[in-house]
PDB file of all heavy atoms in Angstrom:
ATOM      1  N   ALA A  15     -12.172  25.572  -1.855  1.00  0.00           N
ATOM      2  CA  ALA A  15     -10.927  25.587  -2.639  1.00  0.00           C
ATOM      3  C   ALA A  15     -10.030  24.413  -2.235  1.00  0.00           C
ATOM      4  O   ALA A  15      -9.387  23.791  -3.085  1.00  0.00           O
ATOM      5  CB  ALA A  15     -10.200  26.909  -2.457  1.00  0.00           C
ATOM      6  N   ALA A  16      -9.996  24.101  -0.951  1.00  0.00           N
ATOM      7  CA  ALA A  16      -9.191  22.965  -0.485  1.00  0.00           C
ATOM      8  C   ALA A  16      -9.737  21.655  -1.037  1.00  0.00           C
ATOM      9  O   ALA A  16      -8.971  20.784  -1.468  1.00  0.00           O
ATOM     10  CB  ALA A  16      -9.172  22.924   1.037  1.00  0.00           C
ATOM     11  N   ILE A  17     -11.063  21.507  -1.057  1.00  0.00           N
ATOM     12  CA  ILE A  17     -11.671  20.296  -1.616  1.00  0.00           C
ATOM     13  C   ILE A  17     -11.367  20.184  -3.101  1.00  0.00           C
ATOM     14  O   ILE A  17     -11.002  19.107  -3.590  1.00  0.00           O
ATOM     15  CB  ILE A  17     -13.191  20.275  -1.345  1.00  0.00           C
ATOM     16  CG1 ILE A  17     -13.447  20.091   0.152  1.00  0.00           C
ATOM     17  CG2 ILE A  17     -13.876  19.174  -2.153  1.00  0.00           C
ATOM     18  CD1 ILE A  17     -14.888  20.291   0.570  1.00  0.00           C
ATOM     19  N   ASP A  18     -11.499  21.274  -3.836  1.00  0.00           N
ATOM     20  CA  ASP A  18     -11.178  21.248  -5.273  1.00  0.00           C
ATOM     21  C   ASP A  18      -9.731  20.829  -5.497  1.00  0.00           C
ATOM     22  O   ASP A  18      -9.431  20.037  -6.392  1.00  0.00           O
ATOM     23  CB  ASP A  18     -11.429  22.617  -5.908  1.00  0.00           C
ATOM     24  CG  ASP A  18     -12.901  22.963  -6.025  1.00  0.00           C
ATOM     25  OD1 ASP A  18     -13.743  22.045  -5.905  1.00  0.00           O
ATOM     26  OD2 ASP A  18     -13.206  24.156  -6.210  1.00  0.00           O
ATOM     27  N   ARG A  19      -8.824  21.358  -4.694  1.00  0.00           N
ATOM     28  CA  ARG A  19      -7.399  21.009  -4.825  1.00  0.00           C
ATOM     29  C   ARG A  19      -7.180  19.546  -4.461  1.00  0.00           C
ATOM     30  O   ARG A  19      -6.417  18.839  -5.120  1.00  0.00           O
ATOM     31  CB  ARG A  19      -6.560  21.921  -3.928  1.00  0.00           C
ATOM     32  CG  ARG A  19      -5.108  21.673  -3.985  1.00  0.00           C
ATOM     33  CD  ARG A  19      -4.497  22.170  -5.300  1.00  0.00           C
ATOM     34  NE  ARG A  19      -3.080  21.909  -5.288  1.00  0.00           N
ATOM     35  CZ  ARG A  19      -2.462  21.141  -6.178  1.00  0.00           C
ATOM     36  NH1 ARG A  19      -3.111  20.629  -7.180  1.00  0.00           N
ATOM     37  NH2 ARG A  19      -1.173  20.929  -6.087  1.00  0.00           N
ATOM     38  N   ALA A  20      -7.842  19.060  -3.411  1.00  0.00           N
ATOM     39  CA  ALA A  20      -7.711  17.658  -3.008  1.00  0.00           C
ATOM     40  C   ALA A  20      -8.204  16.731  -4.113  1.00  0.00           C
ATOM     41  O   ALA A  20      -7.571  15.706  -4.400  1.00  0.00           O
ATOM     42  CB  ALA A  20      -8.486  17.407  -1.714  1.00  0.00           C
ATOM     43  N   ILE A  21      -9.317  17.085  -4.737  1.00  0.00           N
ATOM     44  CA  ILE A  21      -9.849  16.267  -5.837  1.00  0.00           C
ATOM     45  C   ILE A  21      -8.830  16.172  -6.966  1.00  0.00           C
ATOM     46  O   ILE A  21      -8.588  15.090  -7.518  1.00  0.00           O
ATOM     47  CB  ILE A  21     -11.197  16.831  -6.322  1.00  0.00           C
ATOM     48  CG1 ILE A  21     -12.273  16.604  -5.259  1.00  0.00           C
ATOM     49  CG2 ILE A  21     -11.606  16.206  -7.658  1.00  0.00           C
ATOM     50  CD1 ILE A  21     -13.562  17.357  -5.511  1.00  0.00           C
ATOM     51  N   ALA A  22      -8.207  17.281  -7.319  1.00  0.00           N
ATOM     52  CA  ALA A  22      -7.202  17.285  -8.394  1.00  0.00           C
ATOM     53  C   ALA A  22      -6.007  16.408  -8.021  1.00  0.00           C
ATOM     54  O   ALA A  22      -5.487  15.657  -8.854  1.00  0.00           O
ATOM     55  CB  ALA A  22      -6.758  18.711  -8.687  1.00  0.00           C
ATOM     56  N   ILE A  23      -5.564  16.492  -6.771  1.00  0.00           N
ATOM     57  CA  ILE A  23      -4.430  15.688  -6.332  1.00  0.00           C
ATOM     58  C   ILE A  23      -4.779  14.205  -6.356  1.00  0.00           C
ATOM     59  O   ILE A  23      -4.007  13.371  -6.830  1.00  0.00           O
ATOM     60  CB  ILE A  23      -3.962  16.127  -4.928  1.00  0.00           C
ATOM     61  CG1 ILE A  23      -3.329  17.524  -5.002  1.00  0.00           C
ATOM     62  CG2 ILE A  23      -2.984  15.121  -4.336  1.00  0.00           C
ATOM     63  CD1 ILE A  23      -3.061  18.139  -3.645  1.00  0.00           C
ATOM     64  N   VAL A  24      -5.957  13.860  -5.858  1.00  0.00           N
ATOM     65  CA  VAL A  24      -6.385  12.457  -5.829  1.00  0.00           C
ATOM     66  C   VAL A  24      -6.470  11.903  -7.248  1.00  0.00           C
ATOM     67  O   VAL A  24      -6.031  10.778  -7.504  1.00  0.00           O
ATOM     68  CB  VAL A  24      -7.732  12.310  -5.084  1.00  0.00           C
ATOM     69  CG1 VAL A  24      -8.343  10.939  -5.302  1.00  0.00           C
ATOM     70  CG2 VAL A  24      -7.536  12.583  -3.616  1.00  0.00           C
ATOM     71  N   ASP A  25      -7.021  12.679  -8.163  1.00  0.00           N
ATOM     72  CA  ASP A  25      -7.104  12.218  -9.555  1.00  0.00           C
ATOM     73  C   ASP A  25      -5.725  11.892 -10.107  1.00  0.00           C
ATOM     74  O   ASP A  25      -5.543  10.895 -10.801  1.00  0.00           O
ATOM     75  CB  ASP A  25      -7.787  13.263 -10.433  1.00  0.00           C
ATOM     76  CG  ASP A  25      -9.282  13.337 -10.211  1.00  0.00           C
ATOM     77  OD1 ASP A  25      -9.844  12.405  -9.595  1.00  0.00           O
ATOM     78  OD2 ASP A  25      -9.893  14.327 -10.650  1.00  0.00           O
ATOM     79  N   SER A  26      -4.728  12.706  -9.794  1.00  0.00           N
ATOM     80  CA  SER A  26      -3.390  12.457 -10.334  1.00  0.00           C
ATOM     81  C   SER A  26      -2.673  11.333  -9.592  1.00  0.00           C
ATOM     82  O   SER A  26      -1.962  10.548 -10.204  1.00  0.00           O
ATOM     83  CB  SER A  26      -2.558  13.739 -10.312  1.00  0.00           C
ATOM     84  OG  SER A  26      -2.246  14.113  -9.000  1.00  0.00           O
ATOM     85  N   VAL A  27      -2.859  11.232  -8.291  1.00  0.00           N
ATOM     86  CA  VAL A  27      -2.165  10.193  -7.524  1.00  0.00           C
ATOM     87  C   VAL A  27      -2.771   8.817  -7.779  1.00  0.00           C
ATOM     88  O   VAL A  27      -2.049   7.853  -8.033  1.00  0.00           O
ATOM     89  CB  VAL A  27      -2.189  10.527  -6.007  1.00  0.00           C
ATOM     90  CG1 VAL A  27      -1.698   9.351  -5.174  1.00  0.00           C
ATOM     91  CG2 VAL A  27      -1.349  11.751  -5.719  1.00  0.00           C
ATOM     92  N   LEU A  28      -4.094   8.708  -7.721  1.00  0.00           N
ATOM     93  CA  LEU A  28      -4.725   7.402  -7.928  1.00  0.00           C
ATOM     94  C   LEU A  28      -4.736   6.990  -9.394  1.00  0.00           C
ATOM     95  O   LEU A  28      -4.636   5.810  -9.698  1.00  0.00           O
ATOM     96  CB  LEU A  28      -6.153   7.399  -7.368  1.00  0.00           C
ATOM     97  CG  LEU A  28      -6.271   7.506  -5.848  1.00  0.00           C
ATOM     98  CD1 LEU A  28      -7.743   7.481  -5.442  1.00  0.00           C
ATOM     99  CD2 LEU A  28      -5.506   6.398  -5.157  1.00  0.00           C
ATOM    100  N   ASP A  29      -4.879   7.944 -10.285  1.00  0.00           N
ATOM    101  CA  ASP A  29      -4.837   7.670 -11.728  1.00  0.00           C
ATOM    102  C   ASP A  29      -5.681   6.455 -12.119  1.00  0.00           C
ATOM    103  O   ASP A  29      -5.227   5.565 -12.823  1.00  0.00           O
ATOM    104  CB  ASP A  29      -3.391   7.488 -12.170  1.00  0.00           C
ATOM    105  CG  ASP A  29      -3.225   7.544 -13.679  1.00  0.00           C
ATOM    106  OD1 ASP A  29      -4.057   8.200 -14.343  1.00  0.00           O
ATOM    107  OD2 ASP A  29      -2.268   6.925 -14.182  1.00  0.00           O
ATOM    108  N   GLY A  30      -6.910   6.407 -11.575  1.00  0.00           N
ATOM    109  CA  GLY A  30      -7.827   5.328 -11.924  1.00  0.00           C
ATOM    110  C   GLY A  30      -7.683   4.077 -11.071  1.00  0.00           C
ATOM    111  O   GLY A  30      -8.508   3.170 -11.165  1.00  0.00           O
ATOM    112  N   ARG A  31      -6.655   3.986 -10.246  1.00  0.00           N
ATOM    113  CA  ARG A  31      -6.459   2.810  -9.388  1.00  0.00           C
ATOM    114  C   ARG A  31      -7.372   2.899  -8.170  1.00  0.00           C
ATOM    115  O   ARG A  31      -7.790   3.980  -7.776  1.00  0.00           O
ATOM    116  CB  ARG A  31      -5.006   2.735  -8.932  1.00  0.00           C
ATOM    117  CG  ARG A  31      -4.018   2.504 -10.048  1.00  0.00           C
ATOM    118  CD  ARG A  31      -2.604   2.406  -9.494  1.00  0.00           C
ATOM    119  NE  ARG A  31      -2.254   3.611  -8.759  1.00  0.00           N
ATOM    120  CZ  ARG A  31      -1.378   4.510  -9.159  1.00  0.00           C
ATOM    121  NH1 ARG A  31      -0.753   4.371 -10.303  1.00  0.00           N
ATOM    122  NH2 ARG A  31      -1.103   5.565  -8.409  1.00  0.00           N
ATOM    123  N   PRO A  32      -7.656   1.756  -7.528  1.00  0.00           N
ATOM    124  CA  PRO A  32      -8.450   1.781  -6.305  1.00  0.00           C
ATOM    125  C   PRO A  32      -7.715   2.540  -5.201  1.00  0.00           C
ATOM    126  O   PRO A  32      -6.487   2.514  -5.123  1.00  0.00           O
ATOM    127  CB  PRO A  32      -8.579   0.306  -5.919  1.00  0.00           C
ATOM    128  CG  PRO A  32      -8.282  -0.455  -7.157  1.00  0.00           C
ATOM    129  CD  PRO A  32      -7.334   0.396  -7.954  1.00  0.00           C
ATOM    130  N   GLY A  33      -8.472   3.225  -4.364  1.00  0.00           N
ATOM    131  CA  GLY A  33      -7.846   3.935  -3.254  1.00  0.00           C
ATOM    132  C   GLY A  33      -8.832   4.747  -2.449  1.00  0.00           C
ATOM    133  O   GLY A  33     -10.011   4.845  -2.789  1.00  0.00           O
ATOM    134  N   VAL A  34      -8.328   5.308  -1.391  1.00  0.00           N
ATOM    135  CA  VAL A  34      -9.118   6.130  -0.481  1.00  0.00           C
ATOM    136  C   VAL A  34      -8.349   7.426  -0.243  1.00  0.00           C
ATOM    137  O   VAL A  34      -7.122   7.421  -0.128  1.00  0.00           O
ATOM    138  CB  VAL A  34      -9.347   5.414   0.862  1.00  0.00           C
ATOM    139  CG1 VAL A  34     -10.065   6.310   1.852  1.00  0.00           C
ATOM    140  CG2 VAL A  34     -10.104   4.127   0.656  1.00  0.00           C
ATOM    141  N   ALA A  35      -9.071   8.527  -0.156  1.00  0.00           N
ATOM    142  CA  ALA A  35      -8.449   9.817   0.131  1.00  0.00           C
ATOM    143  C   ALA A  35      -9.302  10.549   1.154  1.00  0.00           C
ATOM    144  O   ALA A  35     -10.527  10.417   1.163  1.00  0.00           O
ATOM    145  CB  ALA A  35      -8.341  10.650  -1.135  1.00  0.00           C
ATOM    146  N   THR A  36      -8.636  11.302   2.016  1.00  0.00           N
ATOM    147  CA  THR A  36      -9.344  12.134   2.983  1.00  0.00           C
ATOM    148  C   THR A  36      -8.686  13.504   3.052  1.00  0.00           C
ATOM    149  O   THR A  36      -7.492  13.642   2.790  1.00  0.00           O
ATOM    150  CB  THR A  36      -9.350  11.529   4.402  1.00  0.00           C
ATOM    151  OG1 THR A  36      -8.010  11.390   4.856  1.00  0.00           O
ATOM    152  CG2 THR A  36     -10.058  10.192   4.441  1.00  0.00           C
ATOM    153  N   LEU A  37      -9.480  14.479   3.381  1.00  0.00           N
ATOM    154  CA  LEU A  37      -9.001  15.834   3.631  1.00  0.00           C
ATOM    155  C   LEU A  37      -9.415  16.168   5.049  1.00  0.00           C
ATOM    156  O   LEU A  37     -10.602  16.124   5.379  1.00  0.00           O
ATOM    157  CB  LEU A  37      -9.615  16.819   2.635  1.00  0.00           C
ATOM    158  CG  LEU A  37      -9.279  18.291   2.824  1.00  0.00           C
ATOM    159  CD1 LEU A  37      -7.770  18.530   2.645  1.00  0.00           C
ATOM    160  CD2 LEU A  37     -10.068  19.140   1.835  1.00  0.00           C
ATOM    161  N   THR A  38      -8.434  16.445   5.898  1.00  0.00           N
ATOM    162  CA  THR A  38      -8.725  16.741   7.295  1.00  0.00           C
ATOM    163  C   THR A  38      -8.133  18.093   7.684  1.00  0.00           C
ATOM    164  O   THR A  38      -7.232  18.599   7.031  1.00  0.00           O
ATOM    165  CB  THR A  38      -8.155  15.653   8.233  1.00  0.00           C
ATOM    166  OG1 THR A  38      -6.738  15.597   8.076  1.00  0.00           O
ATOM    167  CG2 THR A  38      -8.765  14.297   7.954  1.00  0.00           C
ATOM    168  N   SER A  39      -8.671  18.623   8.744  1.00  0.00           N
ATOM    169  CA  SER A  39      -8.199  19.893   9.295  1.00  0.00           C
ATOM    170  C   SER A  39      -7.967  19.703  10.783  1.00  0.00           C
ATOM    171  O   SER A  39      -8.779  19.056  11.457  1.00  0.00           O
ATOM    172  CB  SER A  39      -9.262  20.967   9.077  1.00  0.00           C
ATOM    173  OG  SER A  39      -9.026  22.075   9.912  1.00  0.00           O
ATOM    174  N   PRO A  40      -6.888  20.264  11.326  1.00  0.00           N
ATOM    175  CA  PRO A  40      -6.686  20.145  12.764  1.00  0.00           C
ATOM    176  C   PRO A  40      -7.775  20.869  13.568  1.00  0.00           C
ATOM    177  O   PRO A  40      -7.983  20.595  14.740  1.00  0.00           O
ATOM    178  CB  PRO A  40      -5.321  20.796  13.005  1.00  0.00           C
ATOM    179  CG  PRO A  40      -5.037  21.611  11.792  1.00  0.00           C
ATOM    180  CD  PRO A  40      -5.825  21.010  10.668  1.00  0.00           C
ATOM    181  N   TYR A  41      -8.494  21.765  12.911  1.00  0.00           N
ATOM    182  CA  TYR A  41      -9.542  22.530  13.581  1.00  0.00           C
ATOM    183  C   TYR A  41     -10.939  21.963  13.361  1.00  0.00           C
ATOM    184  O   TYR A  41     -11.794  22.068  14.224  1.00  0.00           O
ATOM    185  CB  TYR A  41      -9.527  23.990  13.106  1.00  0.00           C
ATOM    186  CG  TYR A  41      -8.170  24.614  13.244  1.00  0.00           C
ATOM    187  CD1 TYR A  41      -7.366  24.830  12.137  1.00  0.00           C
ATOM    188  CD2 TYR A  41      -7.660  24.945  14.497  1.00  0.00           C
ATOM    189  CE1 TYR A  41      -6.105  25.381  12.268  1.00  0.00           C
ATOM    190  CE2 TYR A  41      -6.400  25.489  14.640  1.00  0.00           C
ATOM    191  CZ  TYR A  41      -5.627  25.704  13.521  1.00  0.00           C
ATOM    192  OH  TYR A  41      -4.372  26.227  13.650  1.00  0.00           O
TER     193      TYR A  41
END
Side-chain angles (χ1 to χ4, degrees):
I17 291 170
D18 289 344
R19 181 73 180 120
I21 290 169
I23 291 170
V24 168
D25 286 345
S26 69
V27 170
L28 292 180
D29 194 27
R31 295 182 302 250
V34 175
T36 60
L37 176 63
T38 60
S39 163
Y41 307 105

